[in-house]
Amino acid sequence: MECLGPQCVAMILESLRRSTAQGTDSAADAAPIPESMETLRQGLLWNSTAYDDEAATIRSEAEWAGAIEHLQYAIFRRYQNQLTRGERARLDNTIRNAMYKMERYLERLDHAARSKPEAEYLAAREAFVDGQERAERLRRQGRRAEAKLAQLDSLTPEGFEEFVGELFEALGYTVELVGGSGDEGADLRLARGGLEAVVQCKYHRRGVVGSPELQKFLGTIHHHRCRKGFFVTTRTFSIAAERFAADHPIELIDGPRLVELVKEALGPGADREPDPVWF
């Protein structure tokens, strides 16, 4: 689309001046609309009609385009955001309603006209199914993490590593078990959205984690060529450890923070047991 340069603006002003001077002269005598203005007008026209969730049917191609845009956005918002229970219910209703009307609309089309809109609908429905499956998988992982959180004082160190791995999976990370000979202090390796990180799990029944342990862990982060490290413990960190982590790419996760992360994995509005008292 061409931009409105000085010449085009001058032509518009001249057209307005003539229109004012001639009053009710016929359209044939009016100044022609500049070609660049016609291009601008056409470029601003919408190809779709705003979707009406309360309408009974989809009646035209323009309404179909609006419904597709609405459905795609609703699916994205439903499965890519942290929502309250009420927000999830409203989005579930609007998604089901839109898909029902779309299926009825496709049934009314002949074979020749159906190909393109049907492909659009199937792509949106596939995104919806993928979102449902992912949400259900994360919900199950979050529930398992919640159950283990309540029994954390009875876990073995290996069980604690498994719990932390499931928790990060429920938060959307890809988790790889690294622990073993040559792990250089890393128990888990994480990836999400281009970020790679390592995790060290310390199952302490008493005491605090000090800065010397974090200094060793910083070397582990560099050894694995990661941008960040998570140091996870059932206990707490010393002030010196917190100061050291503040100056380096290390996130500290203690007992209370573990509770917060489990709640985050479950999502807002989920029913939860009282917080455990083991820390």
Side-chain angles (χ1 to χ4, degrees):
M1 182 171 61
E2 299 178 12
C3 64
L4 297 180
Q7 293 181 343
C8 186
V9 173
M11 293 175 67
I12 296 171
L13 293 175
E14 178 62 18
S15 176
L16 292 173
R17 186 189 64 78
R18 290 180 183 180
S19 177
T20 303
Q22 293 173 3
T24 59
D25 287 351
S26 66
D29 296 331
I33 298 176
E35 181 180 351
S36 57
M37 277 298 294
E38 179 63 18
T39 303
L40 175 62
R41 184 187 68 82
Q42 293 176 359
L44 292 176
L45 292 178
W46 295 99
N47 294 322
S48 63
T49 299
Y51 175 72
D52 183 1
D53 199 34
E54 297 182 359
T57 60
I58 297 173
R59 296 164 296 181
S60 67
E61 185 176 348
E63 288 185 4
W64 170 269
I68 281 289
E69 292 174 358
H70 173 83
L71 180 61
Q72 290 171 337
Y73 173 74
I75 292 171
F76 174 82
R77 177 164 171 74
R78 173 63 177 85
Y79 296 110
Q80 300 297 327
N81 294 274
Q82 290 284 343
L83 305 171
T84 65
R85 181 178 297 177
E87 289 172 327
R88 293 198 301 270
R90 285 192 292 272
L91 285 170
D92 286 340
N93 287 336
T94 192
I95 289 171
R96 286 193 293 267
N97 186 35
M99 293 177 69
Y100 173 81
K101 289 189 287 187
M102 287 177 168
E103 290 170 357
R104 301 289 81 77
Y105 176 81
L106 290 173
E107 291 174 355
R108 298 195 301 269
L109 297 179
D110 58 41
H111 181 73
R114 182 170 177 164
S115 176
K116 182 176 180 293
E118 185 174 44
E120 293 175 333
Y121 171 72
L122 291 177
R125 189 177 71 176
E126 182 178 357
F128 172 64
V129 172
D130 289 345
Q132 280 187 314
E133 292 176 348
R134 178 178 180 273
E136 177 60 22
R137 183 175 67 255
L138 296 181
R139 187 192 68 81
R140 290 196 302 267
Q141 290 169 337
R143 288 298 184 189
R144 287 198 299 268
E146 182 186 37
K148 289 184 178 180
L149 180 66
Q151 304 170 354
L152 203 54
D153 59 344
S154 62
L155 291 180
T156 64
E158 293 76 17
F160 180 62
E161 289 182 16
E162 181 182 343
F163 156 72
V164 174
E166 289 185 352
L167 176 57
F168 276 108
E169 284 183 345
L171 292 169
Y173 289 90
T174 299
V175 179
E176 176 189 359
L177 180 63
V178 181
S181 59
D183 65 2
E184 298 294 331
D187 297 311
L188 306 170
R189 189 180 180 98
L190 311 178
R192 187 179 72 176
L195 170 69
E196 293 189 357
V198 289
V199 181
Q200 186 170 124
C201 304
K202 288 295 182 182
Y203 189 76
H204 286 293
R205 292 185 178 276
R206 61 188 62 182
V208 297
V209 176
S211 61
E213 291 182 84
L214 295 189
Q215 293 171 18
K216 293 179 182 178
F217 183 49
L218 181 62
T220 299
I221 297 172
H222 294 322
H223 174 78
H224 285 270
R225 301 181 183 277
C226 289
R227 296 166 54 191
K228 184 175 181 178
F230 294 89
F231 198 105
V232 186
T233 181
T234 52
R235 303 309 301 173
T236 58
F237 296 92
S238 68
I239 295 178
E242 292 177 350
R243 288 174 178 169
F244 182 84
D247 295 329
H248 298 90
I250 300 175
E251 182 171 337
L252 304 181
I253 301 178
D254 57 8
R257 180 58 179 152
L258 276 173
V259 176
E260 294 176 358
L261 289 176
V262 170
K263 291 179 179 180
E264 181 180 335
L266 290 170
D271 294 328
R272 304 186 184 94
E273 297 297 326
D275 291 344
V277 295
W278 41 261
F279 57 82

